[in-house]
């Protein structure tokens, strides 16, 4: 079960609205949705939660790049909404690296020859598997377990980093309470 909501900061306090993420496919789409809810380009928070698995907060301040915090990146990676938040930049990957690798893999056949290259009689085009797994090196595609992103995302709004990192269950309610927005968030829950 997922829950998603927008909290927009106004001069009168916070305004909450639940939001549907069915048409959101990228972080850019989510950022645009948040900016549409903004009053005078003030702060908008997007809350996404998968019950008892993970939660994410995206903060959009005017035209600045969005800031992201995810409570459990490996759990979010198994979620279509979590994948929206797990950008290459957040994961420390080269942007577009997966697309490049996939394109290169398509060029090379399973027999180790390039696409369209004939096997030459008398040559052995098979590859011998080697043990390239070094346990000391992290897997480049692995998503870390636990928190990921900007842990100071809510510090200036009343929720210090240490408290954010300790949140587990009912986290969005606790965040809203720290921001003084518990009642407005509860109206859309």
């Amino acid at each position: 079960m997922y829950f998603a909501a927008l909290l927009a900061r106004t001069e009168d306090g916070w305004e909450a609205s639940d939001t549907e993420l069915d048409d959101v496919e990228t972080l850019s789409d989510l950022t645009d949705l948040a900016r549409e809810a903004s009053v005078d380009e003030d702060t908008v928070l997007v809350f996404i939660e998968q019950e008892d698995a993970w939660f994410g907060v995206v903060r959009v301040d005017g035209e600045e790049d969005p800031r992201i915090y995810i409570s459990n990146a490996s759990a979010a990676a198994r979620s279509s909404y979590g994948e929206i938040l797990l950008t290459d930049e957040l994961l420390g990957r080269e942007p577009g690296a997966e697309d490049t690798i996939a394109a290169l893999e398509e060029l090379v056949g399973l027999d180790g020859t390039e696409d369209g290259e004939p096997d030459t009689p008398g040559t052995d085009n098979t590859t011998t598997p080697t043990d390239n797994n070094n346990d000391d090196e992290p897997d480049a595609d692995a998503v870390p377990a636990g928190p990921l992103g900007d842990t100071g995302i809510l510090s200036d709004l009343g929720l210090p980093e240490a408290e954010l990192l300790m949140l587990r269950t009912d986290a969005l309610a606790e965040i809203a309470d720290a921001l003084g927005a518990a009642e407005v968030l509860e109206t859309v829950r």
Side-chain angles (χ1 to χ4, degrees):
M1 173 78 90
Y2 288 96
F3 170 73
L6 295 171
L7 271 183
R9 193 174 196 184
T10 69
E11 50 184 59
D12 298 326
W14 292 96
E15 291 180 6
S17 59
D18 60 343
T19 188
E20 196 60 44
L21 298 179
D22 291 341
D23 296 331
V24 174
E25 296 178 6
T26 65
L27 179 59
S28 181
D29 293 342
L30 189 61
T31 303
D32 291 344
L33 184 69
R35 286 190 177 118
E36 289 171 11
S38 176
V39 177
D40 297 326
E41 295 189 4
D42 213 339
T43 301
V44 177
L45 302 174
V46 181
F47 290 155
I48 302 173
E49 176 182 59
Q50 183 180 4
E51 194 172 290
D52 296 331
W54 67 276
F55 70 90
V57 178
V58 178
R59 179 176 176 165
V60 179
D61 293 300
E63 292 299 316
E64 293 181 29
D65 288 341
R67 296 166 58 191
I68 303 167
Y69 173 79
I70 301 169
S71 66
N72 185 331
S74 62
R78 295 185 296 272
S79 156
S80 59
Y81 296 130
E83 287 179 343
I84 293 169
L85 305 181
L86 291 169
T87 63
D88 287 337
E89 183 180 343
L90 190 65
L91 292 168
R93 296 179 185 157
E94 186 70 33
E98 287 183 14
D99 296 338
T100 303
I101 291 169
L104 290 173
E105 286 175 347
E106 284 182 29
L107 292 175
V108 178
L110 293 177
D111 62 358
T113 62
E114 289 191 26
D115 197 23
E117 181 181 293
D119 285 341
T120 333
T123 61
D124 184 10
N125 286 332
T126 60
T127 57
T128 306
T130 57
D131 184 16
N132 290 332
N133 291 338
N134 184 344
D135 291 337
D136 296 335
E137 293 180 22
D139 182 2
D141 292 330
V143 175
L148 184 67
D150 185 350
T151 57
I153 191 169
L154 302 170
S155 294
D156 64 324
L157 299 174
L159 187 69
E161 289 180 45
E163 289 181 32
L164 180 63
L165 289 168
M166 289 190 300
L167 296 177
R168 296 291 174 251
T169 58
D170 207 22
L172 298 185
E174 290 187 43
I175 292 170
D177 188 44
L179 302 177
E183 289 181 21
V184 294
L185 182 64
E186 197 57 40
T187 63
V188 298
R189 235 177 176 187

